[in-house]
Amino acid sequence: GKPILRQQDKAYMFSSPAIAGDVVFIGVLNGTLQARDLKTGEVLWDFQTETSKQNKGWILTADRRFNDPLLYHSIWREAPIVATDRQFGIGAIFSSPLVVDGVVYFGSTDGYLYALE
């Protein structure tokens, strides 16, 4: 089939989307839950986990992309493991959102379950 929506973002997206009405909810590995217009893909609003906002260790750049030179500062064997651990530490969202009665639920690698109205 022909894609009807194809959007790129500032970080990888592993969660499956949830659709409620004309809104698509998607979790992003930079600690952001996005609400996008179903037809255009335009970001309507986003929510950042508190851990993501704190950005300890400068894991994210000012525009919320992963700071690759900092994460992969070395070619030594454990560097990818350390980088992945740092990414998880900012509240990455792998889980698929669930929408029930106007509330969006999702989990994050910061150890919290979030519920947004």
Side-chain angles (χ1 to χ4, degrees):
K2 179 182 169 190
I4 58 170
L5 178 63
R6 182 176 175 216
Q7 294 290 314
Q8 188 170 7
D9 202 63
K10 298 172 183 177
Y12 294 119
M13 296 179 253
F14 279 96
S15 80
S16 297
I19 299 173
D22 292 333
V23 180
V24 177
F25 297 95
I26 186 81
V28 184
L29 293 190
N30 66 1
T32 303
L33 179 82
Q34 294 181 346
R36 292 177 173 258
D37 182 275
L38 179 63
K39 300 212 183 325
T40 67
E42 176 186 350
V43 175
L44 302 172
W45 57 265
D46 63 20
F47 173 85
Q48 298 171 16
T49 63
E50 287 302 314
T51 311
S52 174
K53 287 181 195 176
Q54 293 169 10
N55 195 17
K56 292 180 181 173
W58 299 97
I59 303 306
L60 300 172
T61 62
D63 68 348
R64 305 204 40 82
R65 295 181 187 278
F66 282 115
N67 193 347
D68 289 336
L70 176 70
L71 290 176
Y72 298 101
H73 64 279
S74 168
I75 59 170
W76 59 290
R77 184 174 58 185
E78 288 81 10
I81 296 168
V82 171
T84 300
D85 183 61
R86 288 178 178 166
Q87 290 174 15
F88 286 5
I90 59 152
I93 301 170
F94 284 90
S95 70
S96 300
L98 172 67
V99 183
V100 178
D101 296 330
V103 179
V104 182
Y105 300 89
F106 65 95
S108 169
T109 60
D110 63 5
Y112 289 97
L113 171 67
Y114 291 88
L116 308 177
E117 288 188 293

